[in-house]
Amino acid sequence: MHASRRTLTRRAGASAIVLTAVAALVVVPGSVASADTIPTGAQSLESVNQAGRYMRHLNSTGQIAPVTAGSDAQTKRDATFTIVNGLASPACYSFQTKSGLFLRHRDYRLRVDANTGDATFRGDATFCPVAGSVAGSVSLVSHNYPSRRIRHRDSALWLDTYQSTAQFQADSSFRITAPWAPKTTQGPVIPGLFADPHIMNFNGRYYLYPTTDGYASWSGTYYKAFSSTDLVNWTDHGVILNHGPDVSWADNSAWAPAVAARNGRYYLYFSGGLASGNTAKQLGVAVADSPTGPFRDALGRPLIRSGQYSGQAIDPMVFTDDDGQSYLYWGQGAARVVPLNNDMTSFDPARVRVITPSGYNEGAFVFKRNGVYYFMWSENDTRSEDYRVAYATGSSPLGPWTKRGVVLQKRLDAGIKGTGHHSVVRAPGTDTWYVAYHRFAVPAGNGTNRETTIDRMEFNTDGTIRPIVPTL
Ligand code: FUB
């Protein structure tokens, strides 16, 4: 099995927790940990047998070309890729350009294109690292043509059939180096396409549980967990639940997970659909002894079946009140809440309440501050640039709720669109709050190519939430 623990290092400014601008990960040549793991984040890839020449794209095609400190900014950008979770497999990687396109093969040439999310594109744009010809270098094997590797030939990048010659091995080996065009912004906090982030703090450590994005019709099948002590440097803990092998009643639509803790165990609530037959979404719950899993389906059946209640059975979230009572919120189209039993895997159906506020679409999230309950949700469709977050306040986890309005929305002057499906966390022992949410990936994303980011969330003295300013 692929060793999936990867540290996503980003350098914070004076105070990491303030989420200042960050520089990109610097990788010292020769530091590639093992043949099948490489560092994610902004990187450049240097040819091992043509030192000083780097992988780059030019007019959409891949090549190797000289890059030096004196090269112009465009050349440096074109020779910089963000290495992200593989579009076709979390055991491999994809390579995103500064403009959000993905390195992929087509007719055995390497080029860059926008992710369509279909299986062919995702396979064409996923590469699996193996040891290169010299220590610390990698060779990139095609995910869907595993007998072929990326190599340079006549300065162009090709996907050629592997040959056990010294020439081929050198032509297909690259050193991962510091990026020519370092990252200068704060987000996304985890490289790649991840949406619907659920942020939690367990035992002083932050955890992010997102939907894996980049799939047409959001047809992803697995969840990863990420953790951090400072909200800046995140560790990728790999796949924590995979519908394929782990959930008998769900194949795809691995959407919007949420994790809650009780009595030393961790409960992951999630939605899923079948690939055929009844494809409507259902809600399940999985359990683990650690916040990073592995999780196993706790019931072997859905906790909430499709059709059991009106609206889509998606977007679960659990809030636990100071008295230890946990409440499950869920639903698209209609918002519902029910107290969970102590086992966290059952509830009394007679206690289910509809709490749908005006404007509600999905993504319910509840927290408590100074005795006030805050019920937040996403409005509009996740494919719309107007996807946004609104909230209400109330005097109990069940309401009644008073709508307060929209607090997070697009910021077109910064190119930020589709800001929603958020979650909120308080820095332990403080009154400092953060909101994790997704947006269309900047600059080239859309409703199925979304990325996860984090910003501060502040309150007015009367307890209302100040408009959240989305930052890049
Ligand atoms: O990510 C899939 C779906 O898109 C989520 O369940 C919704 O909240 C929306 O973000």
Side-chain angles (χ1 to χ4, degrees), residues 167-322:
Q167 183 70 53
F168 182 93
Q169 287 170 17
D171 289 349
S172 61
S173 295
F174 300 89
R175 285 193 179 88
I176 297 176
T177 72
W180 278 109
K183 195 169 182 307
T184 52
T185 60
Q186 161 192 314
V189 292
I190 42 179
L193 301 176
F194 294 98
D196 312 320
H198 187 242
I199 192 163
M200 287 296 286
N201 190 292
F202 294 126
N203 308 316
R205 193 169 179 89
Y206 295 100
Y207 293 85
L208 269 176
Y209 303 95
T211 298
T212 310
D213 217 27
Y215 293 76
S217 305
W218 310 280
S219 58
T221 57
Y222 65 87
Y223 306 100
K224 289 182 131 183
F226 301 83
S227 75
S228 171
T229 54
D230 58 9
L231 299 171
V232 175
N233 302 294
W234 290 90
T235 297
D236 179 342
H237 295 278
V239 175
I240 56 169
L241 186 75
N242 186 342
H243 282 188
D246 303 337
V247 185
S248 62
W249 52 268
D251 299 323
N252 52 34
S253 308
W255 295 353
V259 177
R262 178 179 291 271
N263 296 333
R265 306 192 91 186
Y266 297 86
Y267 296 85
L268 184 149
Y269 300 81
F270 62 99
S271 65
L274 286 170
S276 60
N278 178 9
T279 57
K281 314 300 171 258
Q282 318 201 75
L283 271 190
V285 54
V287 63
D289 294 328
S290 147
T292 54
F295 285 86
R296 60 174 176 78
D297 186 5
L299 300 172
R301 59 174 167 75
L303 173 62
I304 296 175
R305 284 176 283 103
S306 64
Q308 195 173 341
Y309 301 97
S310 66
Q312 278 203 98
I314 64 170
D315 293 4
M317 183 267 158
V318 169
F319 164 71
T320 301
D321 208 346
D322 301 334

